[in-house]
Amino acid sequence: KMKAKHLQSKKILEFWQVNKENAQPAWVKKAFTSGGFSWLNEKTLRIVNTGGLIKINAVQDEFLVFNGKYLKIVSAQKFKQDCRLQ
């Protein structure tokens, strides 16, 4: 599993760096299977909530950080600044 510790909160979070080449943790695979995640193009991930109301794009090399309940998009710079790999 891809895990990191948030330095401020000390919480352990799961993450995935957006890239078609990167291995996908189970929650990412599940999101692709359910239609929550889809590739808009080679470098852009489309994220749609279950009701289809919210659409957000994440671009290649940004990080998706998941705390088991909520998903956040974080820039590579902020991820490196705020988190440490476990």
Side-chain angles (χ1 to χ4, degrees):
K1 282 193 175 179
M2 294 174 233
K3 292 187 182 273
K5 180 185 267 188
H6 189 268
L7 298 176
Q8 201 170 0
S9 69
K10 306 288 187 243
K11 287 186 175 155
I12 302 294
L13 307 166
E14 288 193 59
F15 71 90
W16 179 59
Q17 190 170 23
V18 177
N19 193 309
K20 282 190 170 186
E21 306 300 311
N22 288 348
Q24 298 174 354
W27 58 273
V28 172
K29 286 180 183 164
K30 187 177 173 188
F32 274 110
T33 304
S34 70
F37 288 1
S38 61
W39 290 106
L40 211 53
N41 58 44
E42 281 302 304
K43 295 185 176 188
T44 308
L45 179 74
R46 156 93 14 121
I47 301 166
V48 183
N49 81 343
T50 48
L53 299 172
I54 300 170
K55 289 189 175 108
I56 303 169
N57 292 341
V59 296
Q60 185 170 296
D61 298 328
E62 285 184 317
F63 283 81
L64 300 185
V65 180
F66 184 57
N67 68 4
K69 192 172 181 181
Y70 299 109
L71 182 69
K72 205 166 145 183
I73 301 170
V74 179
S75 70
Q77 185 182 350
K78 186 158 176 53
F79 182 84
K80 288 180 177 93
Q81 187 179 311
D82 293 354
C83 298
R84 288 295 168 266
L85 299 184
Q86 290 296 287

